[in-house]
Amino acid sequence: MARKPTPTKVILPQRRKDLFTRQRLLNLLYDLLDQKLILLIAPAGYGKTSLLIDFAYQVDLPVCWYAVDELDQTPERFFTYFIAALHRRFPEFGEASKAAVKSINQFNPDINQLVSVIVNDAYEHIQEHFLIILDDYHMVSSVREIQAFINRFINTSAENCHLVISSRTLLSLPDLPLLVARSQVGGIGFEELAFRADEIQSFVLQYYHVILSDAASKDLARDTEGWITGLMLSAQVMGQGMTNQMRAARVTGVELYTYLAEEILDQQTEEIRDFLLRTSFLDEFDVALCASVWGTQTNWRALIQQVVQNNLFVLPVGEDGKWLRYHHLFGEFLRAQFEKERPNQLEGLLRRIATVFTQRDEWGRAYVLYNRIKDNQAIADLIEQA
């Protein structure tokens, strides 16, 4: 199937001006810079991506960024984007590496040979120390060929290369124990990423101009276990006594997220609510994509601006920041809510979006949507067109 690379996946996301800086964690990352492998392992919603974006804009080293998604489970696609991330930051790198991927046997790839070409390519064209950040690596961590690739790359890359991996799940690399024994691995886990009471006070004050007492901050830290998504959601409704309700409910984890997200969604205007539910099925979106899917009668620019201004869990992507994507957890909630409220509309919506993706030559995204509605004929037609 033809693949059209998505540039936003290898472009460092813009750092929002109001991004909350966690100096405690930035200092930890600086302390780990000598390691070849740096891990950020925590459940969803602990602020791993935000921390890495903040760090990438502050660290005095070149940064190669790769936002991994579920479509990258095909080894060839993963290898292509891995190389593209390095090439974007170091344009002289990549000619030999790209050729190696094109010639690879898709059914039985020679991982050692491919890694050898990439490592030699980097050695010849990248002399300075640099970072490769793989965000959301858990999306592909179970793929055997990708595991082998990362394992081999860490072992053979030069000392100037530092690989940073964020993941919701623990890594399963064959040589990880050996790398740890060699003191080549460092990491930050959810215990470090969890917000502390004093950080909660500063966070709520910066974002929502609410002064929390020490007792309220400690209660929030306990009830959310420092989970930043829960903190963001709870902070938006704090003025309505939600903290008391939350303490009474004693809900945590996903239950807390669902409980608070429903409260936020129900507080939106019908127009914004409908916009959130529908656009949640787009991985990334801008004004033009919304218009392509649903027509030009709606003022999409105004709706997008309102969603951004209301801080409804959208992140800017791309060089100009005009493309947006939802926080993964919020997007998952919105899609589930759409299916719950409008089950009879789901297939039509997916078909509509998939058709636009097909017209844009984004075959992989169209395939995922058609597969979700189990439309075998549509999948067959899509493969034939590709």
Side-chain angles (χ1 to χ4, degrees):
M1 183 178 292
R3 292 180 178 85
K4 183 178 180 180
T6 305
T8 54
K9 287 166 58 64
V10 295
I11 296 175
L12 178 63
Q14 286 193 331
R15 184 192 182 280
R16 292 175 51 173
K17 293 180 180 179
D18 62 347
L19 180 66
F20 183 73
T21 292
R22 306 183 68 188
Q23 195 59 48
R24 171 176 65 88
L25 297 181
L26 293 177
N27 292 341
L28 287 177
L29 285 173
Y30 277 113
D31 290 341
L32 296 174
L33 277 181
D34 288 337
Q35 311 294 340
K36 289 194 71 175
L37 176 62
I38 302 170
L39 303 176
L40 273 72
I41 310 295
Y46 273 85
K48 299 184 293 295
T49 300
S50 295
L51 174 62
L52 288 176
I53 292 172
D54 199 9
F55 184 66
Y57 276 90
Q58 297 195 39
V59 68
D60 191 24
L61 290 175
V63 174
C64 305
W65 181 274
Y66 175 10
V68 181
D69 63 39
E70 61 182 2
L71 297 178
D72 300 337
Q73 293 181 9
T74 302
E76 181 190 2
R77 179 183 171 96
F78 178 87
F79 303 151
T80 298
Y81 275 111
F82 187 92
I83 293 167
L86 273 73
H87 174 70
R88 180 164 190 86
R89 185 59 183 81
F90 301 102
E92 297 299 320
F93 164 89
E95 184 175 343
S97 298
K98 291 176 185 177
V101 171
K102 288 181 180 179
S103 63
I104 198 170
N105 184 331
Q106 297 184 34
F107 301 101
N108 186 27
D110 187 338
I111 301 298
N112 290 340
Q113 174 61 24
L114 175 62
V115 172
S116 178
V117 172
I118 294 174
V119 168
N120 288 335
D121 197 351
Y123 182 80
E124 292 178 9
H125 298 103
I126 308 175
Q127 280 71 49
E128 56 196 310
H129 281 259
F130 67 101
L131 301 176
I132 306 174
I133 296 179
L134 305 183
D135 192 31
D136 284 338
Y137 177 76
H138 58 273
M139 296 284 190
V140 299
S141 61
S142 63
V143 180
R144 180 177 55 84
E145 293 86 352
I146 294 176
Q147 283 184 10
F149 175 89
I150 293 297
N151 189 78
R152 182 67 177 170
F153 182 82
I154 296 169
N155 274 298
T156 59
S157 60
E159 293 297 323
N160 66 324
C161 177
H162 307 276
L163 184 63
V164 183
I165 294 179
S166 80
S167 175
R168 295 182 187 178
T169 59
L170 297 175
L171 262 64
S172 299
L173 299 178
D175 291 337
L176 189 58
L178 178 61
L179 293 168
V180 172
R182 292 174 177 171
S183 299
Q184 294 181 318
V185 181
I188 296 177
F190 77 93
E191 291 183 349
E192 290 87 7
L193 285 163
F195 267 54
R196 298 176 180 177
D198 61 323
E199 292 174 320
I200 291 174
Q201 284 182 312
S202 300
F203 173 83
V204 173
L205 180 61
Q206 175 176 318
Y207 269 87
Y208 306 104
H209 311 294
V210 174
I211 299 176
L212 290 180
S213 66
D214 291 345
S217 300
K218 289 178 181 178
D219 284 345
L220 273 173
R222 181 186 66 246
D223 291 339
T224 65
E225 298 184 49
W227 185 35
I228 187 169
T229 297
L231 292 170
M232 291 177 71
L233 291 166
S234 60
Q236 292 197 32
V237 288
M238 248 174 223
Q240 302 169 26
M242 182 56 70
T243 49
N244 290 332
Q245 296 178 36
M246 187 172 63
R247 285 200 295 271
R250 288 288 187 256
V251 286
T252 57
V254 175
E255 292 179 352
L256 171 64
Y257 165 73
T258 303
Y259 180 75
L260 295 174
E262 288 176 349
E263 293 293 330
I264 287 178
L265 188 62
D266 289 342
Q267 292 173 28
Q268 306 306 317
T269 65
E270 193 58 37
E271 187 177 32
I272 290 296
R273 194 179 193 281
D274 178 68
F275 176 83
L276 293 172
L277 291 173
R278 285 195 287 167
T279 54
S280 67
F281 290 90
L282 304 172
D283 291 322
E284 299 169 351
F285 61 94
D286 67 349
V287 172
L289 180 56
C290 290
S292 296
V293 177
W294 293 292
T296 58
Q297 297 80 9
T298 301
N299 188 341
W300 298 110
R301 188 176 305 279
L303 286 174
I304 289 175
Q305 287 176 348
Q306 193 170 345
V307 167
V308 172
Q309 289 171 357
N310 291 344
N311 198 28
L312 292 174
F313 308 104
V314 288
L315 302 172
V317 293
E319 290 179 306
D320 55 11
K322 293 181 179 178
W323 282 80
L324 300 173
R325 71 167 177 84
Y326 290 112
H327 184 288
H328 293 309
L329 282 182
F330 194 56
E332 289 169 8
F333 165 76
L334 292 173
R335 290 188 289 273
Q337 195 70 14
F338 185 98
E339 294 185 44
K340 178 182 176 181
E341 295 180 6
R342 312 175 188 180
N344 296 331
Q345 299 180 26
L346 179 62
E347 181 173 331
L349 176 66
L350 295 178
R351 285 181 182 275
R352 192 167 190 164
I353 297 173
T355 299
V356 171
F357 281 155
T358 302
Q359 294 169 348
R360 290 173 164 235
D361 293 340
E362 295 187 36
W363 308 104
R365 299 188 188 283
Y367 179 90
V368 169
L369 292 173
Y370 281 131
N371 190 53
R372 184 168 180 175
I373 59 179
K374 310 300 181 184
D375 193 336
N376 294 326
Q377 183 58 50
I379 292 176
D381 293 342
L382 184 67
I383 292 175
E384 183 176 350
Q385 291 179 55

PDB file of all heavy atoms in Angstrom, residues 54-82:
ATOM      1  N   ASP A  54       8.620  20.637  26.592  1.00  0.00           N
ATOM      2  CA  ASP A  54       9.262  21.695  27.375  1.00  0.00           C
ATOM      3  C   ASP A  54      10.777  21.496  27.402  1.00  0.00           C
ATOM      4  O   ASP A  54      11.559  22.432  27.198  1.00  0.00           O
ATOM      5  CB  ASP A  54       8.695  21.674  28.798  1.00  0.00           C
ATOM      6  CG  ASP A  54       8.940  22.995  29.535  1.00  0.00           C
ATOM      7  OD1 ASP A  54       9.383  23.965  28.891  1.00  0.00           O
ATOM      8  OD2 ASP A  54       8.678  23.042  30.748  1.00  0.00           O
ATOM      9  N   PHE A  55      11.193  20.262  27.622  1.00  0.00           N
ATOM     10  CA  PHE A  55      12.620  19.945  27.684  1.00  0.00           C
ATOM     11  C   PHE A  55      13.295  20.186  26.336  1.00  0.00           C
ATOM     12  O   PHE A  55      14.409  20.741  26.269  1.00  0.00           O
ATOM     13  CB  PHE A  55      12.804  18.491  28.116  1.00  0.00           C
ATOM     14  CG  PHE A  55      14.233  18.085  28.300  1.00  0.00           C
ATOM     15  CD1 PHE A  55      15.007  18.644  29.302  1.00  0.00           C
ATOM     16  CD2 PHE A  55      14.815  17.131  27.474  1.00  0.00           C
ATOM     17  CE1 PHE A  55      16.329  18.268  29.485  1.00  0.00           C
ATOM     18  CE2 PHE A  55      16.128  16.755  27.648  1.00  0.00           C
ATOM     19  CZ  PHE A  55      16.896  17.320  28.650  1.00  0.00           C
ATOM     20  N   ALA A  56      12.628  19.784  25.260  1.00  0.00           N
ATOM     21  CA  ALA A  56      13.209  19.926  23.922  1.00  0.00           C
ATOM     22  C   ALA A  56      13.483  21.384  23.567  1.00  0.00           C
ATOM     23  O   ALA A  56      14.437  21.687  22.845  1.00  0.00           O
ATOM     24  CB  ALA A  56      12.276  19.308  22.878  1.00  0.00           C
ATOM     25  N   TYR A  57      12.657  22.292  24.085  1.00  0.00           N
ATOM     26  CA  TYR A  57      12.849  23.712  23.798  1.00  0.00           C
ATOM     27  C   TYR A  57      13.877  24.363  24.719  1.00  0.00           C
ATOM     28  O   TYR A  57      14.300  25.497  24.464  1.00  0.00           O
ATOM     29  CB  TYR A  57      11.515  24.460  23.900  1.00  0.00           C
ATOM     30  CG  TYR A  57      10.698  24.380  22.630  1.00  0.00           C
ATOM     31  CD1 TYR A  57       9.779  23.349  22.439  1.00  0.00           C
ATOM     32  CD2 TYR A  57      10.867  25.317  21.617  1.00  0.00           C
ATOM     33  CE1 TYR A  57       9.031  23.265  21.269  1.00  0.00           C
ATOM     34  CE2 TYR A  57      10.126  25.239  20.448  1.00  0.00           C
ATOM     35  CZ  TYR A  57       9.215  24.209  20.273  1.00  0.00           C
ATOM     36  OH  TYR A  57       8.482  24.121  19.111  1.00  0.00           O
ATOM     37  N   GLN A  58      14.279  23.675  25.771  1.00  0.00           N
ATOM     38  CA  GLN A  58      15.238  24.255  26.703  1.00  0.00           C
ATOM     39  C   GLN A  58      16.632  23.642  26.608  1.00  0.00           C
ATOM     40  O   GLN A  58      17.629  24.308  26.864  1.00  0.00           O
ATOM     41  CB  GLN A  58      14.719  24.109  28.148  1.00  0.00           C
ATOM     42  CG  GLN A  58      13.422  24.871  28.405  1.00  0.00           C
ATOM     43  CD  GLN A  58      13.112  25.020  29.873  1.00  0.00           C
ATOM     44  OE1 GLN A  58      14.010  25.245  30.684  1.00  0.00           O
ATOM     45  NE2 GLN A  58      11.839  24.898  30.235  1.00  0.00           N
ATOM     46  N   VAL A  59      16.689  22.371  26.236  1.00  0.00           N
ATOM     47  CA  VAL A  59      17.971  21.688  26.221  1.00  0.00           C
ATOM     48  C   VAL A  59      18.857  22.241  25.104  1.00  0.00           C
ATOM     49  O   VAL A  59      18.388  22.592  24.018  1.00  0.00           O
ATOM     50  CB  VAL A  59      17.771  20.170  26.050  1.00  0.00           C
ATOM     51  CG1 VAL A  59      17.241  19.833  24.667  1.00  0.00           C
ATOM     52  CG2 VAL A  59      19.067  19.409  26.349  1.00  0.00           C
ATOM     53  N   ASP A  60      20.150  22.327  25.365  1.00  0.00           N
ATOM     54  CA  ASP A  60      21.106  22.881  24.406  1.00  0.00           C
ATOM     55  C   ASP A  60      21.684  21.771  23.535  1.00  0.00           C
ATOM     56  O   ASP A  60      22.903  21.656  23.384  1.00  0.00           O
ATOM     57  CB  ASP A  60      22.213  23.625  25.155  1.00  0.00           C
ATOM     58  CG  ASP A  60      23.086  24.444  24.206  1.00  0.00           C
ATOM     59  OD1 ASP A  60      22.597  24.795  23.110  1.00  0.00           O
ATOM     60  OD2 ASP A  60      24.254  24.713  24.557  1.00  0.00           O
ATOM     61  N   LEU A  61      20.797  20.954  22.976  1.00  0.00           N
ATOM     62  CA  LEU A  61      21.197  19.877  22.079  1.00  0.00           C
ATOM     63  C   LEU A  61      20.178  19.796  20.939  1.00  0.00           C
ATOM     64  O   LEU A  61      18.997  20.098  21.132  1.00  0.00           O
ATOM     65  CB  LEU A  61      21.227  18.519  22.803  1.00  0.00           C
ATOM     66  CG  LEU A  61      22.320  18.266  23.843  1.00  0.00           C
ATOM     67  CD1 LEU A  61      22.095  16.923  24.510  1.00  0.00           C
ATOM     68  CD2 LEU A  61      23.704  18.317  23.209  1.00  0.00           C
ATOM     69  N   PRO A  62      20.595  19.370  19.748  1.00  0.00           N
ATOM     70  CA  PRO A  62      19.637  19.156  18.663  1.00  0.00           C
ATOM     71  C   PRO A  62      18.660  18.037  19.046  1.00  0.00           C
ATOM     72  O   PRO A  62      19.064  17.035  19.650  1.00  0.00           O
ATOM     73  CB  PRO A  62      20.516  18.736  17.481  1.00  0.00           C
ATOM     74  CG  PRO A  62      21.897  19.177  17.838  1.00  0.00           C
ATOM     75  CD  PRO A  62      21.988  19.097  19.325  1.00  0.00           C
ATOM     76  N   VAL A  63      17.401  18.210  18.670  1.00  0.00           N
ATOM     77  CA  VAL A  63      16.370  17.248  19.019  1.00  0.00           C
ATOM     78  C   VAL A  63      15.690  16.730  17.756  1.00  0.00           C
ATOM     79  O   VAL A  63      15.229  17.507  16.915  1.00  0.00           O
ATOM     80  CB  VAL A  63      15.306  17.874  19.953  1.00  0.00           C
ATOM     81  CG1 VAL A  63      14.151  16.904  20.187  1.00  0.00           C
ATOM     82  CG2 VAL A  63      15.940  18.277  21.280  1.00  0.00           C
ATOM     83  N   CYS A  64      15.626  15.411  17.625  1.00  0.00           N
ATOM     84  CA  CYS A  64      14.863  14.757  16.560  1.00  0.00           C
ATOM     85  C   CYS A  64      13.586  14.198  17.196  1.00  0.00           C
ATOM     86  O   CYS A  64      13.668  13.441  18.162  1.00  0.00           O
ATOM     87  CB  CYS A  64      15.666  13.619  15.927  1.00  0.00           C
ATOM     88  SG  CYS A  64      17.290  14.111  15.317  1.00  0.00           S
ATOM     89  N   TRP A  65      12.440  14.548  16.662  1.00  0.00           N
ATOM     90  CA  TRP A  65      11.160  14.200  17.279  1.00  0.00           C
ATOM     91  C   TRP A  65      10.383  13.237  16.382  1.00  0.00           C
ATOM     92  O   TRP A  65      10.287  13.426  15.180  1.00  0.00           O
ATOM     93  CB  TRP A  65      10.344  15.473  17.492  1.00  0.00           C
ATOM     94  CG  TRP A  65       9.007  15.251  18.139  1.00  0.00           C
ATOM     95  CD1 TRP A  65       7.824  14.936  17.518  1.00  0.00           C
ATOM     96  CD2 TRP A  65       8.713  15.327  19.544  1.00  0.00           C
ATOM     97  NE1 TRP A  65       6.822  14.810  18.447  1.00  0.00           N
ATOM     98  CE2 TRP A  65       7.329  15.048  19.694  1.00  0.00           C
ATOM     99  CE3 TRP A  65       9.489  15.608  20.666  1.00  0.00           C
ATOM    100  CZ2 TRP A  65       6.712  15.049  20.958  1.00  0.00           C
ATOM    101  CZ3 TRP A  65       8.866  15.612  21.913  1.00  0.00           C
ATOM    102  CH2 TRP A  65       7.502  15.334  22.041  1.00  0.00           C
ATOM    103  N   TYR A  66       9.813  12.202  16.996  1.00  0.00           N
ATOM    104  CA  TYR A  66       8.982  11.245  16.270  1.00  0.00           C
ATOM    105  C   TYR A  66       7.776  10.907  17.140  1.00  0.00           C
ATOM    106  O   TYR A  66       7.913  10.257  18.169  1.00  0.00           O
ATOM    107  CB  TYR A  66       9.794   9.997  15.925  1.00  0.00           C
ATOM    108  CG  TYR A  66       9.043   8.857  15.267  1.00  0.00           C
ATOM    109  CD1 TYR A  66       7.741   8.980  14.801  1.00  0.00           C
ATOM    110  CD2 TYR A  66       9.660   7.622  15.106  1.00  0.00           C
ATOM    111  CE1 TYR A  66       7.079   7.935  14.199  1.00  0.00           C
ATOM    112  CE2 TYR A  66       9.015   6.552  14.508  1.00  0.00           C
ATOM    113  CZ  TYR A  66       7.712   6.711  14.061  1.00  0.00           C
ATOM    114  OH  TYR A  66       7.053   5.659  13.475  1.00  0.00           O
ATOM    115  N   ALA A  67       6.582  11.373  16.729  1.00  0.00           N
ATOM    116  CA  ALA A  67       5.341  11.070  17.446  1.00  0.00           C
ATOM    117  C   ALA A  67       4.768   9.776  16.886  1.00  0.00           C
ATOM    118  O   ALA A  67       4.188   9.744  15.800  1.00  0.00           O
ATOM    119  CB  ALA A  67       4.343  12.214  17.285  1.00  0.00           C
ATOM    120  N   VAL A  68       4.943   8.694  17.608  1.00  0.00           N
ATOM    121  CA  VAL A  68       4.519   7.373  17.159  1.00  0.00           C
ATOM    122  C   VAL A  68       3.008   7.248  17.295  1.00  0.00           C
ATOM    123  O   VAL A  68       2.415   7.734  18.262  1.00  0.00           O
ATOM    124  CB  VAL A  68       5.217   6.279  17.984  1.00  0.00           C
ATOM    125  CG1 VAL A  68       4.807   4.892  17.499  1.00  0.00           C
ATOM    126  CG2 VAL A  68       6.736   6.454  17.925  1.00  0.00           C
ATOM    127  N   ASP A  69       2.362   6.577  16.322  1.00  0.00           N
ATOM    128  CA  ASP A  69       0.936   6.278  16.464  1.00  0.00           C
ATOM    129  C   ASP A  69       0.678   4.838  16.046  1.00  0.00           C
ATOM    130  O   ASP A  69       1.597   4.113  15.642  1.00  0.00           O
ATOM    131  CB  ASP A  69       0.061   7.260  15.681  1.00  0.00           C
ATOM    132  CG  ASP A  69       0.291   7.218  14.173  1.00  0.00           C
ATOM    133  OD1 ASP A  69       0.488   6.116  13.630  1.00  0.00           O
ATOM    134  OD2 ASP A  69       0.275   8.278  13.529  1.00  0.00           O
ATOM    135  N   GLU A  70      -0.587   4.418  16.145  1.00  0.00           N
ATOM    136  CA  GLU A  70      -0.929   3.013  15.930  1.00  0.00           C
ATOM    137  C   GLU A  70      -0.686   2.555  14.497  1.00  0.00           C
ATOM    138  O   GLU A  70      -0.514   1.347  14.249  1.00  0.00           O
ATOM    139  CB  GLU A  70      -2.388   2.768  16.299  1.00  0.00           C
ATOM    140  CG  GLU A  70      -3.385   3.565  15.483  1.00  0.00           C
ATOM    141  CD  GLU A  70      -4.819   3.326  15.914  1.00  0.00           C
ATOM    142  OE1 GLU A  70      -5.011   2.557  16.871  1.00  0.00           O
ATOM    143  OE2 GLU A  70      -5.727   3.890  15.299  1.00  0.00           O
ATOM    144  N   LEU A  71      -0.653   3.476  13.545  1.00  0.00           N
ATOM    145  CA  LEU A  71      -0.395   3.096  12.161  1.00  0.00           C
ATOM    146  C   LEU A  71       1.050   2.671  11.940  1.00  0.00           C
ATOM    147  O   LEU A  71       1.371   2.037  10.935  1.00  0.00           O
ATOM    148  CB  LEU A  71      -0.726   4.266  11.224  1.00  0.00           C
ATOM    149  CG  LEU A  71      -2.182   4.737  11.186  1.00  0.00           C
ATOM    150  CD1 LEU A  71      -2.322   5.926  10.249  1.00  0.00           C
ATOM    151  CD2 LEU A  71      -3.104   3.610  10.759  1.00  0.00           C
ATOM    152  N   ASP A  72       1.922   2.993  12.874  1.00  0.00           N
ATOM    153  CA  ASP A  72       3.351   2.719  12.717  1.00  0.00           C
ATOM    154  C   ASP A  72       3.743   1.299  13.118  1.00  0.00           C
ATOM    155  O   ASP A  72       4.923   0.987  13.214  1.00  0.00           O
ATOM    156  CB  ASP A  72       4.169   3.727  13.536  1.00  0.00           C
ATOM    157  CG  ASP A  72       3.928   5.157  13.095  1.00  0.00           C
ATOM    158  OD1 ASP A  72       3.514   5.347  11.937  1.00  0.00           O
ATOM    159  OD2 ASP A  72       4.138   6.072  13.899  1.00  0.00           O
ATOM    160  N   GLN A  73       2.766   0.446  13.351  1.00  0.00           N
ATOM    161  CA  GLN A  73       3.074  -0.930  13.737  1.00  0.00           C
ATOM    162  C   GLN A  73       3.652  -1.748  12.588  1.00  0.00           C
ATOM    163  O   GLN A  73       4.219  -2.805  12.803  1.00  0.00           O
ATOM    164  CB  GLN A  73       1.826  -1.607  14.298  1.00  0.00           C
ATOM    165  CG  GLN A  73       1.363  -1.007  15.610  1.00  0.00           C
ATOM    166  CD  GLN A  73       0.137  -1.691  16.174  1.00  0.00           C
ATOM    167  OE1 GLN A  73      -0.287  -2.733  15.684  1.00  0.00           O
ATOM    168  NE2 GLN A  73      -0.441  -1.110  17.204  1.00  0.00           N
ATOM    169  N   THR A  74       3.507  -1.238  11.371  1.00  0.00           N
ATOM    170  CA  THR A  74       4.188  -1.868  10.236  1.00  0.00           C
ATOM    171  C   THR A  74       5.667  -1.496  10.305  1.00  0.00           C
ATOM    172  O   THR A  74       6.004  -0.305  10.274  1.00  0.00           O
ATOM    173  CB  THR A  74       3.602  -1.373   8.902  1.00  0.00           C
ATOM    174  OG1 THR A  74       2.204  -1.653   8.879  1.00  0.00           O
ATOM    175  CG2 THR A  74       4.278  -2.051   7.731  1.00  0.00           C
ATOM    176  N   PRO A  75       6.571  -2.475  10.425  1.00  0.00           N
ATOM    177  CA  PRO A  75       7.996  -2.161  10.605  1.00  0.00           C
ATOM    178  C   PRO A  75       8.553  -1.193   9.582  1.00  0.00           C
ATOM    179  O   PRO A  75       9.252  -0.239   9.932  1.00  0.00           O
ATOM    180  CB  PRO A  75       8.673  -3.536  10.510  1.00  0.00           C
ATOM    181  CG  PRO A  75       7.625  -4.479  10.988  1.00  0.00           C
ATOM    182  CD  PRO A  75       6.321  -3.929  10.475  1.00  0.00           C
ATOM    183  N   GLU A  76       8.240  -1.400   8.300  1.00  0.00           N
ATOM    184  CA  GLU A  76       8.788  -0.527   7.262  1.00  0.00           C
ATOM    185  C   GLU A  76       8.378   0.928   7.492  1.00  0.00           C
ATOM    186  O   GLU A  76       9.171   1.852   7.314  1.00  0.00           O
ATOM    187  CB  GLU A  76       8.306  -0.988   5.887  1.00  0.00           C
ATOM    188  CG  GLU A  76       8.855  -0.143   4.741  1.00  0.00           C
ATOM    189  CD  GLU A  76       8.194  -0.454   3.418  1.00  0.00           C
ATOM    190  OE1 GLU A  76       7.283  -1.304   3.394  1.00  0.00           O
ATOM    191  OE2 GLU A  76       8.581   0.165   2.408  1.00  0.00           O
ATOM    192  N   ARG A  77       7.127   1.128   7.909  1.00  0.00           N
ATOM    193  CA  ARG A  77       6.646   2.485   8.172  1.00  0.00           C
ATOM    194  C   ARG A  77       7.381   3.094   9.360  1.00  0.00           C
ATOM    195  O   ARG A  77       7.790   4.262   9.327  1.00  0.00           O
ATOM    196  CB  ARG A  77       5.142   2.453   8.433  1.00  0.00           C
ATOM    197  CG  ARG A  77       4.522   3.811   8.735  1.00  0.00           C
ATOM    198  CD  ARG A  77       3.036   3.653   9.047  1.00  0.00           C
ATOM    199  NE  ARG A  77       2.462   4.889   9.548  1.00  0.00           N
ATOM    200  CZ  ARG A  77       1.812   5.781   8.803  1.00  0.00           C
ATOM    201  NH1 ARG A  77       1.670   5.577   7.507  1.00  0.00           N
ATOM    202  NH2 ARG A  77       1.299   6.874   9.345  1.00  0.00           N
ATOM    203  N   PHE A  78       7.575   2.301  10.415  1.00  0.00           N
ATOM    204  CA  PHE A  78       8.307   2.790  11.582  1.00  0.00           C
ATOM    205  C   PHE A  78       9.727   3.173  11.212  1.00  0.00           C
ATOM    206  O   PHE A  78      10.207   4.252  11.593  1.00  0.00           O
ATOM    207  CB  PHE A  78       8.327   1.727  12.683  1.00  0.00           C
ATOM    208  CG  PHE A  78       9.094   2.140  13.902  1.00  0.00           C
ATOM    209  CD1 PHE A  78       8.480   2.857  14.924  1.00  0.00           C
ATOM    210  CD2 PHE A  78      10.447   1.825  14.037  1.00  0.00           C
ATOM    211  CE1 PHE A  78       9.190   3.257  16.050  1.00  0.00           C
ATOM    212  CE2 PHE A  78      11.165   2.221  15.151  1.00  0.00           C
ATOM    213  CZ  PHE A  78      10.539   2.935  16.161  1.00  0.00           C
ATOM    214  N   PHE A  79      10.413   2.315  10.470  1.00  0.00           N
ATOM    215  CA  PHE A  79      11.792   2.612  10.062  1.00  0.00           C
ATOM    216  C   PHE A  79      11.844   3.902   9.234  1.00  0.00           C
ATOM    217  O   PHE A  79      12.751   4.729   9.400  1.00  0.00           O
ATOM    218  CB  PHE A  79      12.367   1.461   9.234  1.00  0.00           C
ATOM    219  CG  PHE A  79      12.342   0.124   9.918  1.00  0.00           C
ATOM    220  CD1 PHE A  79      12.248  -1.044   9.178  1.00  0.00           C
ATOM    221  CD2 PHE A  79      12.395   0.026  11.303  1.00  0.00           C
ATOM    222  CE1 PHE A  79      12.231  -2.282   9.794  1.00  0.00           C
ATOM    223  CE2 PHE A  79      12.376  -1.212  11.945  1.00  0.00           C
ATOM    224  CZ  PHE A  79      12.281  -2.364  11.172  1.00  0.00           C
ATOM    225  N   THR A  80      10.866   4.071   8.347  1.00  0.00           N
ATOM    226  CA  THR A  80      10.830   5.249   7.474  1.00  0.00           C
ATOM    227  C   THR A  80      10.714   6.526   8.289  1.00  0.00           C
ATOM    228  O   THR A  80      11.420   7.517   8.036  1.00  0.00           O
ATOM    229  CB  THR A  80       9.652   5.143   6.486  1.00  0.00           C
ATOM    230  OG1 THR A  80       9.843   3.986   5.648  1.00  0.00           O
ATOM    231  CG2 THR A  80       9.559   6.391   5.616  1.00  0.00           C
ATOM    232  N   TYR A  81       9.818   6.523   9.280  1.00  0.00           N
ATOM    233  CA  TYR A  81       9.631   7.728  10.092  1.00  0.00           C
ATOM    234  C   TYR A  81      10.804   7.961  11.038  1.00  0.00           C
ATOM    235  O   TYR A  81      11.152   9.105  11.342  1.00  0.00           O
ATOM    236  CB  TYR A  81       8.318   7.642  10.877  1.00  0.00           C
ATOM    237  CG  TYR A  81       7.127   8.107  10.076  1.00  0.00           C
ATOM    238  CD1 TYR A  81       6.158   7.213   9.654  1.00  0.00           C
ATOM    239  CD2 TYR A  81       6.977   9.444   9.732  1.00  0.00           C
ATOM    240  CE1 TYR A  81       5.063   7.630   8.922  1.00  0.00           C
ATOM    241  CE2 TYR A  81       5.896   9.883   9.003  1.00  0.00           C
ATOM    242  CZ  TYR A  81       4.936   8.968   8.591  1.00  0.00           C
ATOM    243  OH  TYR A  81       3.859   9.403   7.863  1.00  0.00           O
ATOM    244  N   PHE A  82      11.410   6.902  11.531  1.00  0.00           N
ATOM    245  CA  PHE A  82      12.588   7.028  12.384  1.00  0.00           C
ATOM    246  C   PHE A  82      13.690   7.763  11.619  1.00  0.00           C
ATOM    247  O   PHE A  82      14.316   8.702  12.142  1.00  0.00           O
ATOM    248  CB  PHE A  82      13.062   5.643  12.808  1.00  0.00           C
ATOM    249  CG  PHE A  82      14.170   5.651  13.833  1.00  0.00           C
ATOM    250  CD1 PHE A  82      13.879   5.611  15.189  1.00  0.00           C
ATOM    251  CD2 PHE A  82      15.499   5.677  13.444  1.00  0.00           C
ATOM    252  CE1 PHE A  82      14.890   5.611  16.138  1.00  0.00           C
ATOM    253  CE2 PHE A  82      16.526   5.680  14.380  1.00  0.00           C
ATOM    254  CZ  PHE A  82      16.207   5.644  15.735  1.00  0.00           C
TER     255      PHE A  82
END
